[in-house]
Amino acid sequence: MSSIARRPRRTAALALAVPLLALTACAAPESSASTAYDDWDAVLADAEGQTVQLWMYGGDDQGNAYVDDILTPAVAEYGVTLERVPVTDTGDALNRVFTEIQAGRSDGTVDLIWVNGDNFRTGKEADAWLCDWTDLLPSMAATDPDDPLLQSDFGTPVDGCEAPWHKAQFTLAYNAEAIPDPPTTLAGVLDWAEAHPGRFTYPAPPDFTGSVFVREVLASVSGGADEVPAAYSDEAFDELSPALYDRLSELAPSLWRGGDTYPANEAELGQLFADRQIDMTMTYGPATLTDLVADGTYPPETTVLPLEDGTVGNASFLGLPANSDSIAGAMVVANVALSAEQQAAKAQPDVWGQFTVLDIESLPDDDRALFDALPTSPVVPGYEVLSENAHGELAAEWVPALDEGWRTGVLDR
């Protein structure tokens, strides 16, 4: 076996390692919304006057503005004060929860976390989340109980331990002026990049966008997403990862700056695209492309690139720590955030452009009309087009293994 195929033995959530070790001797406080509250009226009564701290990634200006200017006033109508706590990494919020649980605090300072994937799995394994509470939310009735994106979070069963917030679809976009005849598959994208040196790159894992790009390449070199088992195993990693890292290593010299350096995140990648240094970009939030073109940041010929092999889709959630001091208030925030009014507002391209988790076809006429009124985009097709041939996320255990393998097998090769 070549050196690049050696798996990084269980390196998941390294940033969380110290708190997790401490938690082995300290279980989360026992708490259950299903026993604490008999009905929604009891939740509303307890929530009034509470302050809820929502810890979320602070690098998304549109997301910050949506929470501050639209969600917070809506929550205030229920007597709940919502405070946004920006973090650079979701793991920072979870580490705070672990630290407070270890200290025996039942008055935790983290009330909600914008979360998905490996962080959700790590918290669930440590019993850090309150579970079995989302069925109490009236707004949950407007979701599809059979929607696989809402049942499982990167392979980890949701089990009522987090409330859905919005959906995402990994999307490539390109400058049609520079690429008049674009590729139609991910393999074709890589071939195009090699034929046009310096005009393509991707963020360095473990950045979220760079990480999912690596997983897309894994599916491509493996013969399709169906050929990669969703559940992680060392055997599957050993079998499939060598072709992945070989392909990305072959690609590296053709990347921007010869692959000697990579953008740190999606924002840096987008700036390269805006500056016309590269001709393709990628995002998990394609609706934002509309405004980036309209305000002149991105080239006017920016076009979404649907791929025949499809791309990864997932959902993100609001997790409620088990030791929150404002459980009722956090439940109210999650319920308001899931309402048709908030979901439609958040879907506005000039607000945040996030895809709803609601089952639109099952909504009452008045609520469905909110989504029917959303503007169409000359740049971004509808979710039904973007999600065509979509495939689900791999289990969370794949993510740190592939990211660390990329570092040793591609970056340091």
Side-chain angles (χ1 to χ4, degrees):
M1 183 187 302
S2 67
S3 61
I4 66 168
R6 293 197 186 108
R7 59 192 169 277
R9 297 283 180 180
R10 315 307 292 171
T11 57
L14 290 176
L16 306 175
V18 174
L20 276 176
L21 287 173
L23 275 176
T24 58
C26 180
E30 291 187 6
S31 181
S32 171
S34 61
T35 57
Y37 298 107
D38 294 328
D39 54 42
W40 187 244
D41 286 340
V43 174
L44 293 176
D46 267 8
E48 190 167 359
Q50 289 188 348
T51 296
V52 173
Q53 289 199 334
L54 167 59
W55 291 54
M56 60 181 282
Y57 172 64
D60 186 328
D61 291 340
Q62 279 191 303
N64 296 339
Y66 161 72
V67 170
D68 294 344
D69 301 337
I70 298 178
L71 181 59
T72 296
V75 167
E77 296 180 11
Y78 293 86
V80 176
T81 300
L82 178 60
E83 296 179 351
R84 177 177 57 84
V85 180
V87 294
T88 57
D89 190 302
T90 304
D92 296 339
L94 203 52
N95 274 337
R96 171 66 72 89
V97 174
F98 291 155
T99 299
E100 292 181 343
I101 289 177
Q102 178 195 4
R105 291 189 59 174
S106 59
D107 59 342
T109 59
V110 183
D111 303 307
L112 282 175
I113 304 176
W114 178 21
V115 67
N116 74 350
D118 198 45
N119 285 299
F120 172 67
R121 177 184 64 87
T122 301
K124 192 179 182 190
E125 289 177 349
D127 293 327
W129 302 120
L130 187 72
C131 295
D132 299 321
W133 60 275
T134 59
D135 283 347
L136 274 176
L137 307 184
S139 295
M140 279 293 294
T143 64
D144 179 359
D146 297 323
D147 187 337
L149 293 186
L150 307 188
Q151 295 176 329
S152 175
D153 188 347
F154 281 69
T156 302
V158 170
D159 292 336
C161 302
E162 53 182 357
W165 201 16
H166 50 252
K167 290 182 178 179
Q169 192 68 43
F170 181 67
T171 303
L172 294 171
Y174 67 101
N175 183 347
E177 181 181 39
I179 312 176
D181 186 22
T184 60
T185 64
L186 190 62
V189 169
L190 304 187
D191 291 342
W192 176 90
E194 290 178 322
H196 301 82
R199 306 305 299 176
F200 181 85
T201 191
Y202 57 94
D207 168 73
F208 194 68
T209 303
S211 181
V212 71
F213 175 75
V214 169
R215 298 196 298 277
E216 293 285 12
V217 178
L218 174 66
S220 177
V221 300
S222 300
D226 291 342
E227 300 302 316
V228 182
Y232 176 85
S233 69
D234 290 342
E235 292 76 17
F237 183 93
D238 286 344
E239 178 184 354
L240 299 175
S241 65
L244 165 68
Y245 299 133
D246 283 345
R247 185 68 186 96
L248 290 176
S249 295
E250 293 168 359
L251 176 70
S254 301
L255 298 177
W256 173 74
R257 293 190 174 176
D260 290 335
T261 185
Y262 292 77
N265 49 48
E266 182 183 320
E268 290 190 8
L269 179 74
Q271 190 60 55
L272 293 176
F273 184 71
D275 294 340
R276 278 62 165 184
Q277 294 191 54
I278 58 175
D279 298 322
M280 283 193 191
T281 188
M282 59 191 72
T283 179
Y284 243 129
T288 59
L289 297 172
T290 301
D291 273 4
L292 289 169
V293 172
D295 66 14
T297 301
Y298 279 4
E301 296 82 11
T302 298
T303 306
V304 164
L305 180 63
L307 297 178
E308 294 172 3
D309 28 358
T311 59
V312 167
N314 71 23
S316 61
F317 299 80
L318 295 175
L320 204 171
N323 69 328
S324 163
D325 193 33
S326 300
I327 287 175
M331 292 173 66
V332 167
V333 173
N335 186 65
V336 172
L338 193 53
S339 68
E341 293 81 7
Q342 288 295 312
Q343 290 280 302
K346 188 172 57 175
Q348 292 279 356
D350 60 348
V351 175
W352 199 3
Q354 297 287 0
F355 300 121
T356 184
V357 292
L358 301 182
D359 181 10
I360 295 177
E361 295 305 315
S362 69
L363 294 176
D365 290 345
D366 289 349
D367 288 344
R368 190 165 60 248
L370 297 175
F371 296 93
D372 291 340
L374 291 173
T376 57
S377 168
V379 179
V380 184
Y383 178 73
E384 67 281 357
V385 175
L386 291 173
S387 60
E388 188 173 1
N389 298 325
H391 39 270
E393 287 282 10
L394 299 177
E397 293 91 337
W398 274 102
V399 178
L402 289 171
D403 289 351
E404 177 64 12
W406 179 87
R407 184 186 67 79
T408 59
V410 179
L411 185 64
D412 296 339
R413 190 175 187 181

